[in-house]
Amino acid sequence: MVPKYIGLIVSLISGSAAAESLNVLLYHHVADDTPFSTSTTVADFTAQLDDFVEKGYQIVNLEQAVARIRAGKPLAQKSLALTFDDGFSSVCKNAYPELKKRGMPFTVFVTTDPIDHHYPSYCTWSQLKEMAQNGATIANHTRDHAHLVRGALSEAPWLTRAQDNISQAQQRIENKIGQTSALFAYPYGEYNNTLKQWLDVQGYIAFGQQSGSIGTTSDWQALPRFNAAGHYATPKALKLKITASPLPVDYQQLPDPLTQNTQPDLSVKVLPSKRVYYPHLQCFLNGQAIDVVWNSSQTQFSATPPKPLTQGRHRLNCTAPHRQGTPYYWLSQQWIVVPEALEGNKPTPTG
Ligand SMILES: [Zn+2]
């Protein structure tokens, strides 16, 4: 009889161990002549794909992989999923041939109005349909790429407007592609709890743009993705992200990102773990390290902006290493700071 520990050692060193988590990469343009921060050059993109294969990653169908993890079933091997937001023409022209050649599935979250208006910087419906027949999932990113929740604390009809925006895009994709998925990506990664709840009732799985890894305790309407563009476009820069694991936390308990508080507190209860080295947990607000305060039993930490945040979007990333160094465990919280609506200044609903 083979002692149990041998099987454990084999699975640890073989790299083919079943994976309990999934990392999703986020791209916008795959081109050499588009804005740096949202672009991955064709050379970096192909280098990434080759690197994933070399490191033993399987590129998986996003919807199926998320469904497995949500059902508590590990993935067969370490896996990554690739997503492209907006439906820019460079994805059809440059990324698609490389993905097709390698037989890799991928998801394109499309904004339908610019495609309907034949904007030249976007893919056409016929290009998207061809990709859908060759490994792509064409999924919902609204009709017009609106900031869906910015008015949620001050404008009465914001929710109906957001719901219509999403439902109409879904209908359009179904009409043009002939199939739809249950996947949705928030424009700018911006969401709040009310919109999340509606998407859940409608059966959507939804993605933000905050960093992190997906596991059994994820929030299925606020799933994280790692940006693979700009400064993160090279295989070297992506190394710690493709190996990342989720910080063991109940993600559905995280606070609503939409706030009028300019110094919102992120307070997180961590789950016990034999792997995560919590004493080395660090938090970075918009890239700058900020103080982390633990309660006396070391089961809950909080991180508060040291000075007031400006209006708009801010990201707080917290990471802790494995007890043996790597991988890193991630948690990210986005804050969307909106102005306080003065009673007399509230816009009148116009329908
Ligand atoms: Zn977008």
Side-chain angles (χ1 to χ4, degrees):
M1 185 181 145
V2 182
K4 260 189 204 154
Y5 67 86
I6 301 238
L8 177 66
I9 291 168
V10 168
S11 71
L12 282 175
I13 57 178
S14 67
S16 62
E20 290 162 13
S21 58
L22 171 72
N23 292 326
V24 182
L25 299 180
L26 164 63
Y27 303 86
H28 282 87
H29 303 276
V30 177
D32 301 350
D33 56 356
T34 42
F36 175 79
S37 66
T38 50
S39 297
T40 309
T41 65
V42 178
D44 281 337
F45 184 67
T46 53
Q48 284 184 20
L49 299 185
D50 294 341
D51 182 65
F52 302 154
V53 173
E54 207 171 289
K55 292 199 166 91
Y57 284 90
Q58 187 177 22
I59 306 302
V60 292
N61 174 291
L62 179 60
E63 196 166 11
Q64 290 167 6
V66 168
R68 265 194 88 84
I69 290 181
R70 194 175 185 180
K73 298 180 197 155
L75 301 173
Q77 66 179 84
K78 53 183 189 174
S79 303
L80 292 169
L82 311 178
T83 65
F84 301 83
D85 277 14
D86 302 340
F88 289 126
S89 59
S90 68
V91 173
C92 294
K93 282 189 210 132
N94 302 334
Y96 170 54
E98 297 298 332
L99 294 159
K100 190 183 173 192
K101 195 157 72 186
R102 292 166 175 81
M104 292 174 171
F106 58 102
T107 301
V108 187
F109 288 104
V110 297
T111 302
T112 57
D113 278 358
I115 301 169
D116 280 337
H117 298 151
H118 310 288
Y119 288 176
S121 53
Y122 287 77
C123 298
T124 65
W125 283 118
S126 70
Q127 286 174 317
L128 293 166
K129 187 155 190 178
E130 198 217 305
M131 294 202 301
Q133 287 157 354
N134 290 282
T137 301
I138 307 302
N140 192 335
H141 195 41
T142 73
R143 268 185 61 181
D144 61 0
H145 212 276
H147 290 276
L148 295 176
V149 303
R150 290 262 174 137
L153 301 178
S154 55
E155 298 167 30
W158 77 273
L159 183 59
T160 324
R161 229 169 24 217
Q163 291 166 343
D164 290 347
N165 204 337
I166 295 165
S167 301
Q168 287 164 11
Q170 191 76 354
Q171 192 61 55
R172 196 68 192 135
I173 294 166
E174 188 168 356
N175 290 346
K176 297 303 282 190
I177 305 296
Q179 60 198 48
T180 52
S181 81
L183 305 177
F184 176 73
Y186 301 101
Y188 314 97
E190 294 183 2
Y191 56 86
N192 70 351
N193 284 354
T194 309
L195 186 56
K196 267 178 16 185
Q197 279 154 14
W198 180 76
L199 287 164
D200 187 19
V201 170
Q202 301 296 309
Y204 285 98
I205 300 290
F207 292 82
Q209 293 189 7
Q210 77 279 16
S211 299
S213 185
I214 298 172
T216 50
T217 61
S218 284
D219 182 342
W220 308 103
Q221 284 73 43
L223 294 174
R225 294 183 287 172
F226 284 112
N227 182 13
H231 291 294
Y232 309 105
T234 63
K236 197 177 163 207
L238 276 181
K239 196 177 154 202
L240 285 181
K241 308 202 165 169
I242 61 174
T243 57
S245 286
L247 195 75
V249 161
D250 178 0
Y251 287 81
Q252 301 194 16
Q253 300 301 317
L254 291 182
D256 194 318
L258 189 73
T259 180
Q260 292 168 334
N261 182 353
T262 56
Q263 286 182 287
D265 178 47
L266 175 71
S267 200
V268 179
K269 213 182 210 174
V270 298
L271 301 170
S273 169
K274 291 194 171 116
R275 302 175 189 168
V276 185
Y277 192 54
Y278 288 120
H280 278 192
L281 182 123
Q282 284 188 293
C283 291
F284 299 86
L285 177 66
N286 301 326
Q288 301 285 318
I290 63 167
D291 287 344
V292 174
V293 180
W294 286 88
N295 65 353
S296 55
S297 55
Q298 307 288 302
T299 52
Q300 186 163 341
F301 72 87
S302 64
T304 312
K307 51 180 192 200
L309 299 174
T310 54
Q311 281 172 31
R313 210 159 53 235
H314 301 271
R315 297 220 172 96
L316 182 58
N317 288 330
C318 299
T319 60
H322 190 281
R323 280 171 194 270
Q324 280 147 12
T326 53
Y328 275 82
Y329 296 84
W330 288 69
L331 173 143
S332 176
Q333 167 78 17
Q334 174 169 261
W335 295 119
I336 311 159
V337 181
V338 291
E340 280 193 48
L342 299 171
E343 230 12 77
N345 265 355
K346 281 195 180 170
T348 333
T350 53

